[in-house]
Amino acid sequence: MSIGEFRNDKARERFHAVYGRLLGRLWPDPRDTFDLPTSFGTTRVHRAGPPCSDPVVLLSGANGNSLMWHRYIEPIARRRTVIAVDTVGEPGASIQSAPVTGAEDGARWLEEVLAGLEATAAHLVGCSYGGWLALGHQMHHPGRTAALTLVEPAGFADPGRRFYAWLIAGGLAGMAPRALRPRLSRWVGNSAILETELMELGRASVGFRRALPPARVFSDEELRRVCVPSLFLLGEQSSLHDARQVAERVGAFVPAAEVEVVPGASHALPTDDPELVAARILRRTGE
């Protein structure tokens, strides 16, 4: 299996110019930015807030990076350390050097990141693919996780035509003139297209070749291994899965879990209702 990388130097330079400019615009100061070595390449992390051994660690969805969490940094950092991670193999500032072939590799990468951060009781927050990585880590390396907040996590259904249609419609709507996007956002059910800066970053990432494994569906046995307090936040109108079916399955196999189905929300739950998601993250961490 290959690694995720930019197609050429021009594509890489274009992306990093946009990434750097938007990072300076969207992220509050002060901020520590540094790279951590892992078996799969160097991982870029951004850290803010008071120091502690049980940070909130944010993992983005597929084709995303730390900047997707920009609205969340300031409210969380007021109370505790918050760390946003650029997943190796995604378009961001991390540099992948070895293939990630499945859930065990993803879990090992995340374990090495948390070890590098010297996090002994991390509160993992994962959106979509990031939620799949967080769950996989808890199953394979449970010692460093204090709690999970999983926002529309992958791993409960194979993406079908409805999901890919939602992605394509959102991508096309995101290229429309800004004045038209609010109406298109309601029509396609994707509030992420209203994030002008993230749409710009998405356009800059088209020269990136992603090479990560698909988020396979977790088995019942695997779900039974999730033993830390967990919150599953699901969009009632998610295009990725049937939220009610996911809630029933989690309730049956994850005894330490709480499930909340957010009325009217889509798979773009982090942008549908950022205030609710931020409040739930802080509640899960005990703040």
Side-chain angles (χ1 to χ4, degrees), residues 235-256:
E236 179 188 38
Q237 298 178 5
S238 175
S239 57
L240 179 61
H241 44 226
D242 184 309
R244 300 296 176 185
Q245 290 181 358
V246 174
E248 290 176 4
R249 189 159 180 246
V250 169
F253 297 108
V254 189

mmCIF file of all heavy atoms in Angstrom, residues 235-256:
data_model
loop_
_atom_site.group_PDB
_atom_site.id
_atom_site.type_symbol
_atom_site.label_atom_id
_atom_site.label_comp_id
_atom_site.label_asym_id
_atom_site.label_seq_id
_atom_site.Cartn_x
_atom_site.Cartn_y
_atom_site.Cartn_z
ATOM 1 N N GLY A 235 -25.740 12.510 14.283
ATOM 2 C CA GLY A 235 -26.674 13.384 13.599
ATOM 3 C C GLY A 235 -27.927 12.624 13.194
ATOM 4 O O GLY A 235 -27.833 11.569 12.556
ATOM 5 N N GLU A 236 -29.067 13.136 13.565
ATOM 6 C CA GLU A 236 -30.325 12.461 13.246
ATOM 7 C C GLU A 236 -30.458 12.210 11.747
ATOM 8 O O GLU A 236 -31.013 11.187 11.326
ATOM 9 C CB GLU A 236 -31.495 13.310 13.747
ATOM 10 C CG GLU A 236 -32.867 12.723 13.455
ATOM 11 C CD GLU A 236 -33.985 13.690 13.796
ATOM 12 O OE1 GLU A 236 -33.811 14.909 13.558
ATOM 13 O OE2 GLU A 236 -35.027 13.230 14.289
ATOM 14 N N GLN A 237 -29.958 13.139 10.937
ATOM 15 C CA GLN A 237 -30.093 13.033 9.490
ATOM 16 C C GLN A 237 -28.767 12.653 8.817
ATOM 17 O O GLN A 237 -28.522 13.004 7.668
ATOM 18 C CB GLN A 237 -30.627 14.348 8.927
ATOM 19 C CG GLN A 237 -32.011 14.702 9.456
ATOM 20 C CD GLN A 237 -32.522 16.037 8.934
ATOM 21 O OE1 GLN A 237 -31.891 16.686 8.101
ATOM 22 N NE2 GLN A 237 -33.678 16.455 9.427
ATOM 23 N N SER A 238 -27.932 11.917 9.524
ATOM 24 C CA SER A 238 -26.639 11.516 8.976
ATOM 25 C C SER A 238 -26.812 10.740 7.673
ATOM 26 O O SER A 238 -27.690 9.883 7.549
ATOM 27 C CB SER A 238 -25.893 10.639 9.981
ATOM 28 O OG SER A 238 -24.693 10.143 9.412
ATOM 29 N N SER A 239 -25.936 11.035 6.716
ATOM 30 C CA SER A 239 -25.922 10.296 5.461
ATOM 31 C C SER A 239 -24.967 9.103 5.517
ATOM 32 O O SER A 239 -24.948 8.289 4.598
ATOM 33 C CB SER A 239 -25.502 11.224 4.308
ATOM 34 O OG SER A 239 -24.233 11.803 4.596
ATOM 35 N N LEU A 240 -24.179 9.006 6.585
ATOM 36 C CA LEU A 240 -23.213 7.918 6.705
ATOM 37 C C LEU A 240 -23.840 6.639 7.227
ATOM 38 O O LEU A 240 -23.475 5.532 6.812
ATOM 39 C CB LEU A 240 -22.065 8.346 7.635
ATOM 40 C CG LEU A 240 -20.977 7.305 7.893
ATOM 41 C CD1 LEU A 240 -20.284 6.905 6.595
ATOM 42 C CD2 LEU A 240 -19.955 7.829 8.901
ATOM 43 N N HIS A 241 -24.792 6.767 8.150
ATOM 44 C CA HIS A 241 -25.397 5.598 8.776
ATOM 45 C C HIS A 241 -26.775 5.975 9.300
ATOM 46 O O HIS A 241 -27.157 7.142 9.311
ATOM 47 C CB HIS A 241 -24.516 5.094 9.930
ATOM 48 C CG HIS A 241 -23.995 6.177 10.812
ATOM 49 N ND1 HIS A 241 -22.679 6.250 11.239
ATOM 50 C CD2 HIS A 241 -24.602 7.272 11.355
ATOM 51 C CE1 HIS A 241 -22.513 7.319 11.992
ATOM 52 N NE2 HIS A 241 -23.657 7.949 12.072
ATOM 53 N N ASP A 242 -27.502 4.990 9.763
ATOM 54 C CA ASP A 242 -28.787 5.213 10.413
ATOM 55 C C ASP A 242 -28.502 5.452 11.896
ATOM 56 O O ASP A 242 -28.088 4.534 12.612
ATOM 57 C CB ASP A 242 -29.682 3.991 10.227
ATOM 58 C CG ASP A 242 -31.082 4.188 10.807
ATOM 59 O OD1 ASP A 242 -31.191 4.591 11.981
ATOM 60 O OD2 ASP A 242 -32.060 3.934 10.091
ATOM 61 N N ALA A 243 -28.710 6.682 12.347
ATOM 62 C CA ALA A 243 -28.329 7.047 13.707
ATOM 63 C C ALA A 243 -29.023 6.189 14.751
ATOM 64 O O ALA A 243 -28.423 5.805 15.760
ATOM 65 C CB ALA A 243 -28.619 8.530 13.952
ATOM 66 N N ARG A 244 -30.280 5.865 14.525
ATOM 67 C CA ARG A 244 -31.018 5.058 15.502
ATOM 68 C C ARG A 244 -30.449 3.646 15.583
ATOM 69 O O ARG A 244 -30.341 3.076 16.680
ATOM 70 C CB ARG A 244 -32.507 5.019 15.136
ATOM 71 C CG ARG A 244 -33.179 6.378 15.110
ATOM 72 C CD ARG A 244 -33.200 7.025 16.490
ATOM 73 N NE ARG A 244 -33.772 8.372 16.449
ATOM 74 C CZ ARG A 244 -33.825 9.182 17.495
ATOM 75 N NH1 ARG A 244 -33.365 8.791 18.661
ATOM 76 N NH2 ARG A 244 -34.350 10.396 17.369
ATOM 77 N N GLN A 245 -30.068 3.086 14.452
ATOM 78 C CA GLN A 245 -29.486 1.748 14.464
ATOM 79 C C GLN A 245 -28.131 1.750 15.161
ATOM 80 O O GLN A 245 -27.809 0.823 15.923
ATOM 81 C CB GLN A 245 -29.345 1.219 13.036
ATOM 82 C CG GLN A 245 -30.668 0.884 12.366
ATOM 83 C CD GLN A 245 -30.483 0.347 10.961
ATOM 84 O OE1 GLN A 245 -29.368 0.249 10.459
ATOM 85 N NE2 GLN A 245 -31.583 0.004 10.302
ATOM 86 N N VAL A 246 -27.330 2.794 14.915
ATOM 87 C CA VAL A 246 -26.048 2.904 15.605
ATOM 88 C C VAL A 246 -26.265 3.023 17.105
ATOM 89 O O VAL A 246 -25.584 2.375 17.907
ATOM 90 C CB VAL A 246 -25.238 4.106 15.075
ATOM 91 C CG1 VAL A 246 -23.957 4.302 15.898
ATOM 92 C CG2 VAL A 246 -24.898 3.931 13.606
ATOM 93 N N ALA A 247 -27.239 3.860 17.504
ATOM 94 C CA ALA A 247 -27.529 4.031 18.929
ATOM 95 C C ALA A 247 -27.916 2.710 19.582
ATOM 96 O O ALA A 247 -27.473 2.393 20.691
ATOM 97 C CB ALA A 247 -28.634 5.063 19.110
ATOM 98 N N GLU A 248 -28.730 1.919 18.892
ATOM 99 C CA GLU A 248 -29.151 0.628 19.439
ATOM 100 C C GLU A 248 -27.965 -0.326 19.569
ATOM 101 O O GLU A 248 -27.828 -1.039 20.575
ATOM 102 C CB GLU A 248 -30.224 0.017 18.540
ATOM 103 C CG GLU A 248 -31.558 0.753 18.592
ATOM 104 C CD GLU A 248 -32.562 0.186 17.610
ATOM 105 O OE1 GLU A 248 -32.231 -0.828 16.943
ATOM 106 O OE2 GLU A 248 -33.669 0.753 17.498
ATOM 107 N N ARG A 249 -27.103 -0.320 18.572
ATOM 108 C CA ARG A 249 -25.952 -1.236 18.611
ATOM 109 C C ARG A 249 -24.961 -0.831 19.696
ATOM 110 O O ARG A 249 -24.442 -1.679 20.421
ATOM 111 C CB ARG A 249 -25.266 -1.251 17.240
ATOM 112 C CG ARG A 249 -24.211 -2.309 17.108
ATOM 113 C CD ARG A 249 -23.909 -2.659 15.676
ATOM 114 N NE ARG A 249 -22.894 -3.688 15.630
ATOM 115 C CZ ARG A 249 -21.664 -3.514 15.139
ATOM 116 N NH1 ARG A 249 -21.312 -2.340 14.599
ATOM 117 N NH2 ARG A 249 -20.788 -4.493 15.163
ATOM 118 N N VAL A 250 -24.706 0.458 19.817
ATOM 119 C CA VAL A 250 -23.813 0.934 20.877
ATOM 120 C C VAL A 250 -24.393 0.590 22.246
ATOM 121 O O VAL A 250 -23.692 0.121 23.151
ATOM 122 C CB VAL A 250 -23.575 2.448 20.744
ATOM 123 C CG1 VAL A 250 -22.867 3.005 21.983
ATOM 124 C CG2 VAL A 250 -22.754 2.752 19.492
ATOM 125 N N GLY A 251 -25.691 0.819 22.408
ATOM 126 C CA GLY A 251 -26.331 0.509 23.675
ATOM 127 C C GLY A 251 -26.240 -0.952 24.039
ATOM 128 O O GLY A 251 -26.145 -1.318 25.217
ATOM 129 N N ALA A 252 -26.232 -1.818 23.036
ATOM 130 C CA ALA A 252 -26.190 -3.256 23.280
ATOM 131 C C ALA A 252 -24.792 -3.768 23.590
ATOM 132 O O ALA A 252 -24.639 -4.727 24.360
ATOM 133 C CB ALA A 252 -26.747 -3.999 22.066
ATOM 134 N N PHE A 253 -23.756 -3.128 23.025
ATOM 135 C CA PHE A 253 -22.418 -3.713 23.112
ATOM 136 C C PHE A 253 -21.380 -2.840 23.817
ATOM 137 O O PHE A 253 -20.272 -3.317 24.079
ATOM 138 C CB PHE A 253 -21.906 -4.072 21.709
ATOM 139 C CG PHE A 253 -22.743 -5.113 21.032
ATOM 140 C CD1 PHE A 253 -23.577 -4.775 19.975
ATOM 141 C CD2 PHE A 253 -22.707 -6.428 21.455
ATOM 142 C CE1 PHE A 253 -24.363 -5.736 19.347
ATOM 143 C CE2 PHE A 253 -23.486 -7.399 20.841
ATOM 144 C CZ PHE A 253 -24.314 -7.054 19.787
ATOM 145 N N VAL A 254 -21.681 -1.576 24.101
ATOM 146 C CA VAL A 254 -20.710 -0.695 24.762
ATOM 147 C C VAL A 254 -21.329 -0.217 26.071
ATOM 148 O O VAL A 254 -21.977 0.836 26.121
ATOM 149 C CB VAL A 254 -20.323 0.503 23.861
ATOM 150 C CG1 VAL A 254 -19.147 1.265 24.489
ATOM 151 C CG2 VAL A 254 -19.958 0.042 22.458
ATOM 152 N N PRO A 255 -21.166 -0.962 27.151
ATOM 153 C CA PRO A 255 -21.862 -0.630 28.400
ATOM 154 C C PRO A 255 -21.461 0.703 29.003
ATOM 155 O O PRO A 255 -22.239 1.302 29.749
ATOM 156 C CB PRO A 255 -21.489 -1.793 29.327
ATOM 157 C CG PRO A 255 -20.257 -2.390 28.736
ATOM 158 C CD PRO A 255 -20.381 -2.208 27.264
ATOM 159 N N ALA A 256 -20.248 1.185 28.690
ATOM 160 C CA ALA A 256 -19.794 2.450 29.269
ATOM 161 C C ALA A 256 -20.179 3.647 28.416
ATOM 162 O O ALA A 256 -19.688 4.753 28.645
ATOM 163 C CB ALA A 256 -18.275 2.423 29.462
#
